[in-house]
Amino acid sequence: MAQQKTSRLLRKASINFLLMSAALLILTAAALFIYTRTLLDNEIEEELYSQVAFIEKNIQEGNQPKSIEPILSIKRISAERLTTVRDTLMYDPRQDEVELFKELSKSANTTNGVYEIKVRTLIIESEDIFVGIIVSFLSILAIAFLIVFFINKSRNERMWKPFFTSLDKLRTFSFDTKEPIVFESSNIQEFNDLNIGLNELVTKIRGDYNNLKQFTEDVSHEAQTPLAIMQAKIENIINQNGISDTQYEELNSIQKDIKRLTQLNKRLILLAKIDNDQFANAQFIDLESLIKERVVDFKDLSENTFSVEVKPNSKIKIDTYLAEILVNNLLSNAIKYSVPKSTIHIKASSLMIEVSNTGNATLKNPEKIFERFYKEGASKKATGLGLSIVNKICTYYKFKPSYRFRESEHLHQFRIDFSG
């Protein structure tokens, strides 16, 4: 299903306001145009009728007004004609061009005979007045809408501020923090109801998370003793005489599985301890000494060679035990997935540590490399928790882990930036 395009709440509300205002402005302009045009036409016609009445009165009194083209035309006719009002084109000597006039033609039956009186007024002048009224009105209306828009936008931002503050608090919420979320109170009842609901939801989720974490830790602790007993009993059986080669192989396979389960159990306990904030004793650790000690231990277990480059006085603040686990897991991962008898490169400083090993191809899903129980390949020795523990330690101390594959050299590079 295609993702629907989204926009910010205040932006959408402002756009809707502008669209409605624009529609209202257009409708208002159309209504004003029709009303003003009708009113102006009526006023023009009323003025023309008034002029005709005045001229008719003068003729009735014996005066003989003269035609003044193009605004006035008076001539004697034989019979009365219908009164008409129309628009007509006439030559205007003042403008020296043909202009549009509104013309009233009316017959006047006087004692001196029947006259046809035609009075005209230039429409251009009335149109100028008409356009001036419309433009002035729309300008004032547009300015008013803009003022209302910015006032409304400012009021909306203040009104919705508690909502966005609560949203920001939810974005930064983490189970690793022990402090409760405190939502700001608002004078809007709906926002207060939302905050109450969010508080209840967060409290329930945190409680369920802590219960699950405690359950995992308890199960892991309780499993240690029976695993150790099973390991000891199998060793006793293996050391006894009278077992066949087939039995020996099966028992040896069971013993390896128990060792792997024991290792998995210990790592789950470690993750639970990190979650429970049981490693608060951080101190400055000398990376050069730590890395060289770990390399010496791994040399006896691996056919790989190690290249170590550590800048002098490279120190980071971390719990000693977690620092050893961090380096151990990085080196262990490099050994498991490197080409046999290749060189593992280790670079470190107070800002970062980088472990590189030679590999045949890049990972299929590098984005999942730090997830729990994720493994690539069929290694039975791997529990899928080594790099997950590395990631958990990095999260705990706000370090930044990353991975990349340098295809030109077939190098897998795991890097941890201590500056975050």
Side-chain angles (χ1 to χ4, degrees), residues 142-176:
I143 293 172
F145 272 126
L146 287 176
I147 294 173
V148 172
F149 169 75
F150 285 109
I151 293 175
N152 182 67
K153 184 173 180 291
S154 176
R155 288 177 60 86
N156 281 340
E157 287 176 351
R158 289 198 301 269
M159 182 178 68
W160 284 90
K161 184 179 178 181
F163 172 80
F164 292 114
T165 302
S166 299
L167 196 61
D168 289 336
K169 287 182 180 293
L170 286 177
R171 285 198 185 102
T172 57
F173 171 73
S174 173
F175 289 116
D176 297 329

Side-chain angles (χ1 to χ4, degrees), residues 248-290:
Y248 175 80
E249 291 295 333
E250 290 178 351
L251 290 172
N252 191 46
S253 176
I254 294 174
Q255 191 176 40
K256 289 180 180 179
D257 289 337
I258 292 175
K259 286 182 179 179
R260 182 174 175 275
L261 188 58
T262 302
Q263 184 183 26
L264 175 64
N265 187 56
K266 288 181 179 179
R267 292 188 173 187
L268 286 173
I269 292 175
L270 176 61
L271 288 170
K273 286 183 177 180
I274 295 175
D275 286 333
N276 289 330
D277 198 18
Q278 295 181 12
F279 295 97
N281 186 26
Q283 55 184 309
F284 283 99
I285 302 296
D286 183 66
L287 282 178
E288 185 175 15
S289 300
L290 174 62

Side-chain angles (χ1 to χ4, degrees), residues 355-374:
V355 179
S356 306
N357 65 277
T358 305
N360 293 323
T362 185
L363 299 178
K364 295 179 181 178
N365 299 291
E367 71 281 358
K368 297 182 179 180
I369 193 65
F370 294 106
E371 293 182 5
R372 289 191 185 186
F373 303 112
Y374 179 76

Side-chain angles (χ1 to χ4, degrees), residues 21 54 202:
S21 299
F54 178 76
V202 169

